[in-house]
Amino acid sequence: MPTLEFKGKQFVYSHHLGVPFRELQVVPERSLPAEGKKPSLDDNLIIQGDNLEALKALLPTHAGKVDCIFIDPPYNTGNEGWCYNDNVRSPLMKEWLKKSANPVDKEDLERHDKWLCMMWPRLNLLKELLAEDGSIWVTLDDNEAQRAKLILDEIFGEEAFVASIAWQARYSVSNDASVSNSHNYILVYSKTPETWKKLRNEIPRDEKQEKQYSNPDNDPEGPWRAIPWDAPNIRENLSYPIVTPKGSIKYPPKGRCWSREEEKWNEIVEKELAYFGKNGDGAPAYKRYLKDAGTVVPTTWWPHDSSGHTDEASKELTAFGLDTPFATPKPVRLLERVLRIATREDSLVLDSFSGSGTTAEAVMSLNKKDSGNRRFILVECEDYADTLTAERVRRVINGYPYTGTQREELHRENITWSTFEKKQAKVLEHIASIENLHGHEYDKIKKQIKDGVLTVTGERKVEKTAPGLGGSFTYCTLGEPIDIESLLTGKDMPGFEALARYVFYTATGQSLEKVGKPAPDGLIGETDLFRVHLFYQPSKEWLRSNEAALNAERMAAIEQGNKSGKRAIVFAVAKFMSQKELTARRIEFCQLPYAVHRILGD
């Protein structure tokens, strides 16, 4: 597979492995926990800090657990003022950056190299965080989309590519441009595309798709369209004769075959769904009614009327009373569309270039609509992480100052008047249940049938404060790097839980679900292959005492607890028996601080 070479690649190729682990530090005064609870790392998270270090900090707890990653990185237009400042341990890199202008602007002839150097380690860490059946969505424009696809191919694998979506970000025309640009790209990848294809959700039909259905003959079953029965390819068992109502015999056109077996066509005939054109003697087709059409497979063209646009996104922020430094924020409808396709009701969503916090609002909005329990993790390095990103989320949760009329669609159903007459009692009963369930939330529940679509909309007049969606989050910053050699000096020693998560991940490449209190056998967690043990207290005196060593009593406890016969990996500062004796008991000793190692990824 072809790869993309760029200046600095050899120095950033493995940079993500050398980024130090940092502990997530909860900031209670900036958090918004659920009533009666304390801020917790198990809640939604907003992390302020460099996203490279934040992603590394998430590995011990979230590796392989993120179901959907959405990122909106700098587009590298030359007007964004972003800086490349990763601390790559290379004199050549430092000299290069020292001589180069920061922030990166249009005059920087190496701005594409810097952008690639910035993205490479972050994408590698995102890959480690992504679940095997998850997906990553990257929004970009023509400045870097083609280069991004090449490095995504290299990092995730060319076979991991799912789609390149064109999103109509703008609906107005720039008259001063040679060709007015209306779209951005969304690159979609998954570690296992075939598995993800089975798990991904289809989406509701939009109005244009619904208008493909009509009812010229006032069919009592409602609008329908003719679906041709032929398909590409040639298969002998799909080339049977079909007789029209007028007696003509039809075979598939040259180079094609029928789409299904003959017994399936006979079922269509029996159900009176066969269609041969207005004259009754045309090519075989079948009627598909709008009421039976259901959802549709997502396409790679996302028009603004179904996915929102940047002007809409700016107005959303204005409604919250928040100023934004972004020229092209993303609308909630775009993120909701991504989440409808890519998540389940309990999915974990990560946005490591979170900006104004649109992803969090989309997660909470969708949860409200389908009673889901999705969680989000946002990462933002700038100072506005609290004043804009988190503040928006606070206002989404608690409500915000607003005057005007809010409208929210509560139900949509494809229906015609003739079918409404047939199903009247059932439809009215369903609408009544919606009114009973949501009536107290709105001033008015509006019902209408237009163009074959029944919609039920809640309308609410707001004079002072718009109601919130409810929810909670924990605000975090990044602590000092977990320096394993601090065990020698006694300065800035990590806590037991932080070190437990750290050694477990470095030994197994997997995150630790939950850390219990120190146990007699030192067990902190296990995988399908290993049981990992840690004997540690954040005390210089304790670590220098005999209490810190792996002794016969602890070895016996490890053996007694190991009912499955798995290999045991033990971290401690010393041991009082030979490795030969430990090996006979399937125990591998790793001396702190020197033998913190990584099996996966080296």
Side-chain angles (χ1 to χ4, degrees):
M1 181 184 73
T3 59
L4 179 65
E5 294 301 321
F6 52 90
K7 185 173 182 179
K9 182 177 182 179
Q10 68 269 38
F11 302 116
V12 300
Y13 192 83
S14 301
H15 179 51
H16 60 288
L17 299 177
V19 175
F21 284 91
R22 294 178 182 269
E23 190 174 358
L24 293 176
Q25 303 283 349
V26 173
V27 184
E29 63 272 17
R30 293 184 177 182
S31 302
L32 189 62
E35 187 174 352
K37 294 187 177 181
K38 294 181 179 180
S40 166
L41 295 180
D42 295 326
D43 200 355
N44 296 310
L45 300 180
I46 299 178
I47 304 170
Q48 181 176 8
D50 181 272
N51 57 13
L52 183 63
E53 296 182 333
L55 293 175
K56 193 67 176 277
L58 286 168
L59 284 178
T61 52
H62 292 83
K65 294 181 180 179
V66 180
D67 300 294
C68 177
I69 297 172
F70 177 90
I71 59 172
D72 184 28
Y75 283 16
N76 208 16
T77 62
N79 299 316
E80 295 160 310
W82 73 276
C83 297
Y84 176 66
N85 55 7
D86 288 352
N87 186 24
V88 180
R89 296 177 182 177
S90 162
L92 290 175
M93 284 286 285
K94 291 179 179 179
E95 187 64 22
W96 174 38
L97 296 176
K98 183 178 178 181
K99 292 180 179 180
S100 301
N102 253 335
V104 179
D105 59 30
K106 284 184 176 180
E107 304 304 317
D108 190 339
L109 299 180
E110 296 174 331
R111 76 175 195 270
H112 299 299
D113 300 271
K114 291 180 181 178
W115 188 87
L116 290 164
C117 285
M118 181 269 293
M119 291 297 295
W120 181 273
R122 288 161 175 80
L123 289 172
N124 272 287
L125 292 177
L126 288 169
K127 181 185 178 184
E128 292 195 45
L129 289 163
L130 186 64
E132 289 299 314
D133 58 0
S135 57
I136 178 170
W137 304 64
V138 186
T139 61
L140 290 165
D141 66 7
D142 286 315
N143 283 284
E144 297 294 356
Q146 69 276 33
R147 280 173 281 271
K149 188 175 186 310
L150 286 172
I151 62 171
L152 283 163
D153 284 346
E154 188 170 351
I155 292 170
F156 284 85
E158 194 172 0
E159 69 284 354
F161 174 71
V162 174
S164 176
I165 295 168
W167 164 54
Q168 189 182 9
R170 298 182 61 187
Y171 59 88
S172 59
V173 176
S174 298
N175 293 321
D176 58 346
S178 55
V179 177
S180 183
N181 187 10
S182 299
H183 71 281
N184 289 162
Y185 299 98
I186 306 177
L187 301 176
V188 188
Y189 281 75
S190 175
K191 290 181 180 177
T192 53
E194 286 305 313
T195 301
W196 183 79
K197 178 182 176 182
K198 296 175 183 176
L199 295 174
R200 70 99 177 89
N201 305 307
E202 295 187 355
I203 55 177
R205 294 173 182 272
D206 58 33
E207 291 184 14
K208 289 183 179 179
Q209 290 168 326
E210 290 176 352
K211 286 180 179 178
Q212 295 174 353
Y213 292 76
S214 61
N215 196 2
D217 303 320
N218 293 320
D219 191 315
E221 294 298 320
W224 57 274
R225 63 177 296 196
I227 308 297
W229 190 245
D230 60 294
N233 214 333
I234 300 175
R235 290 171 56 185
E236 289 185 9
N237 65 322
L238 296 181
S239 297
Y240 47 86
I242 291 179
V243 181
T244 73
K246 292 189 175 182
S248 300
I249 299 177
K250 301 291 184 180
Y251 284 93
K254 186 177 180 180
R256 299 176 71 83
C257 61
W258 299 133
S259 58
R260 303 288 296 277
E261 293 79 6
E262 188 171 9
E263 62 183 36
K264 295 295 182 183
W265 173 255
N266 292 335
E267 290 179 12
I268 286 173
V269 173
E270 290 175 9
K271 293 177 181 178
E272 299 183 350
L273 296 176
Y275 182 70
F276 295 90
K278 292 181 180 180
N279 63 1
D281 203 38
Y286 68 96
K287 287 184 175 182
R288 176 189 286 166
Y289 288 95
L290 180 57
K291 64 183 180 65
D292 300 323
T295 55
V296 295
V297 172
T299 71
T300 57
W301 168 237
W302 290 14
H304 72 83
D305 51 7
S306 60
S307 304
H309 46 78
T310 53
D311 285 351
E312 176 182 317
S314 297
K315 291 175 182 176
E316 288 169 351
L317 284 170
T318 302
F320 286 110
L322 297 170
D323 294 326
T324 172
F326 311 110
T328 56
K330 300 300 174 286
V332 173
R333 282 200 294 163
L334 175 67
L335 269 297
E336 277 198 21
R337 190 177 182 90
V338 170
L339 298 177
R340 285 184 185 278
I341 296 169
T343 68
R344 298 176 290 276
E345 292 181 357
D346 60 349
S347 290
L348 177 63
V349 181
L350 168 64
D351 183 348
S352 57
F353 292 86
S354 62
S356 62
T358 305
T359 300
E361 181 177 352
V363 167
M364 292 186 289
S365 175
L366 195 54
N367 281 344
K368 181 78 172 180
K369 292 175 181 177
D370 65 8
S371 301
N373 191 34
R374 300 170 187 83
R375 291 182 297 125
F376 63 80
I377 300 174
L378 306 186
V379 181
E380 180 52 58
C381 66
E382 300 292 344
D383 293 338
Y384 53 70
D386 178 41
T387 58
L388 174 59
T389 313
E391 183 58 29
R392 176 182 186 170
V393 179
R394 294 185 189 103
R395 297 185 186 192
V396 169
I397 293 172
N398 292 330
Y400 54 93
Y402 179 80
T403 299
T405 300
Q406 288 187 321
R407 296 177 177 85
E408 184 174 355
E409 187 177 287
L410 303 175
H411 178 68
R412 171 181 287 261
E413 181 180 351
N414 301 317
I415 197 169
T416 61
W417 185 254
S418 56
T419 53
F420 175 67
E421 286 182 317
K422 286 186 176 182
K423 307 171 36 176
Q424 180 179 358
K426 187 176 181 181
V427 172
L428 292 177
E429 182 182 350
H430 184 58
I431 292 175
S433 68
I434 294 174
E435 291 179 309
N436 290 334
L437 185 62
H438 297 285
H440 67 284
E441 301 174 12
Y442 302 94
D443 299 320
K444 178 181 178 183
I445 302 292
K446 183 179 178 181
K447 293 91 65 176
Q448 70 172 5
I449 294 178
K450 184 179 180 181
D451 297 329
V453 180
L454 165 67
T455 56
V456 181
T457 306
E459 295 186 353
R460 179 194 302 117
K461 289 184 178 180
V462 180
E463 294 184 358
K464 292 183 179 180
T465 304
L469 297 177
S472 60
F473 72 87
T474 296
Y475 192 98
C476 301
T477 56
L478 298 174
E480 292 298 315
I482 297 177
D483 182 4
I484 199 69
E485 293 188 3
S486 66
L487 274 61
L488 298 174
T489 64
K491 183 180 179 182
D492 297 325
M493 300 176 69
F496 177 82
E497 182 173 337
L499 186 62
R501 293 188 184 279
Y502 173 62
V503 299
F504 186 87
Y505 176 75
T506 55
T508 68
Q510 298 183 27
S511 57
L512 188 57
E513 287 284 349
K514 187 177 181 180
V515 179
K517 294 181 180 180
D521 67 350
L523 180 68
I524 57 174
E526 61 182 306
T527 68
D528 292 339
L529 300 176
F530 308 108
R531 286 168 62 87
V532 183
H533 306 256
L534 172 66
F535 297 104
Y536 170 75
Q537 289 184 19
S539 164
K540 184 177 178 180
E541 289 72 24
W542 186 88
L543 290 172
R544 290 183 174 181
S545 70
N546 290 340
E547 290 295 315
L550 173 62
N551 53 29
E553 183 180 351
R554 284 174 171 161
M555 183 176 68
I558 291 171
E559 277 192 294
Q560 185 176 359
N562 191 3
K563 306 299 184 184
S564 60
K566 295 178 182 177
R567 177 177 159 199
I569 302 175
V570 181
F571 291 91
V573 294
K575 58 182 173 66
F576 290 161
M577 65 281 300
S578 68
Q579 182 58 55
K580 182 178 180 180
E581 187 177 0
L582 293 174
T583 301
R585 291 168 168 77
R586 293 183 57 77
I587 297 174
E588 179 181 341
F589 174 73
C590 301
Q591 185 179 14
L592 294 173
Y594 307 108
V596 174
H597 64 288
R598 178 167 180 168
I599 295 173
L600 187 70
D602 280 343

